[in-house]
Amino acid sequence: MNVGLWMLSAAIGASANLDDISIGYASGHRAGWRSISFYLCTAFCSVGTCLVGGLSAAHIERSLSPLLCSYLGSGTLISIGIWTFFQAFTQQFRADATFDQLGFHEMMVVLLAQSVANLTAGFGAGFCHIGVWFTSAAAGLFTLWFLLAPLHGVRRQVSRMGHRFWMIAGVVLILVGLFR
């Protein structure tokens, strides 16, 4: 796999999980055992679902034409990008919310939402013939990194950027889908 495909895999993994910064921001200044275990569980689920999506696309593409697979992969990535971009306008970035206020059920809904985002990103990467294994690893690493980043000195930048992270992630996914 060449460096260009590694960069595309990293861009997909980062863009699918860039909104995790807002989740990490809501966790407060320090992370307890509950937050850390949730972050690790989210990272493992991100890797697993991205891998399942990519391997499913690789299995499905055996029965489809390569051109159709390319369109499906690009269309999936562009659709995720558009959805993520417009999500920035509907979501409110609340700096006053804390992660400790979330119950177990709310945490599982967040985990499910992240897993679905990574599943579709892996699906798009698989159809575009981008390295599924590296995309899955990048998704897990970026999930963990973006969840932990607000705890380690970037809180001021996160509060200034707000929901622009969703817009950045959406634009990157659209660009990867268009130029792949």
Side-chain angles (χ1 to χ4, degrees):
M1 191 160 121
N2 63 21
V3 176
L5 289 179
W6 283 8
M7 290 173 48
L8 285 176
S9 294
I12 291 170
S15 298
N17 296 299
L18 194 58
D19 59 339
D20 289 343
I21 289 179
S22 62
I23 297 167
Y25 183 82
S27 67
H29 291 286
R30 59 184 174 84
W33 67 270
R34 182 177 171 211
S35 299
I36 296 296
S37 62
F38 173 70
Y39 295 165
L40 289 173
C41 184
T42 304
F44 284 126
C45 287
S46 295
V47 170
T49 55
C50 190
L51 192 60
V52 165
L55 293 177
S56 297
H59 183 70
I60 292 170
E61 77 175 335
R62 293 180 188 155
S63 61
L64 300 175
S65 71
L67 184 64
L68 180 61
C69 290
S70 178
Y71 286 146
L72 280 173
S74 295
T76 302
L77 292 174
I78 291 170
S79 299
I80 298 168
I82 291 171
W83 175 263
T84 305
F85 183 80
F86 286 116
Q87 184 182 7
F89 298 113
T90 61
Q91 298 292 325
Q92 294 294 323
F93 185 79
R94 296 183 345 187
D96 58 339
T98 62
F99 190 75
D100 295 330
Q101 294 173 347
L102 292 179
F104 179 76
H105 298 298
E106 290 88 2
M107 289 170 39
M108 290 301 110
V109 168
V110 169
L111 181 95
L112 179 66
Q114 280 307 116
S115 296
V116 168
N118 285 301
L119 179 74
T120 54
F123 197 70
F127 272 129
C128 285
H129 301 287
I130 299 172
V132 175
W133 291 94
F134 189 75
T135 303
S136 300
L141 288 174
F142 279 114
T143 297
L144 194 58
W145 186 36
F146 289 148
L147 286 171
L148 293 175
L151 301 175
H152 299 289
V154 294
R155 289 185 62 78
R156 186 176 303 151
Q157 289 84 1
V158 170
S159 64
R160 260 190 288 148
M161 289 292 288
H163 51 273
R164 290 189 188 112
F165 287 116
W166 285 310
M167 289 190 275
I168 294 168
V171 168
V172 169
L173 282 172
I174 291 170
L175 291 175
V176 168
L178 286 176
F179 296 113
R180 172 60 188 124

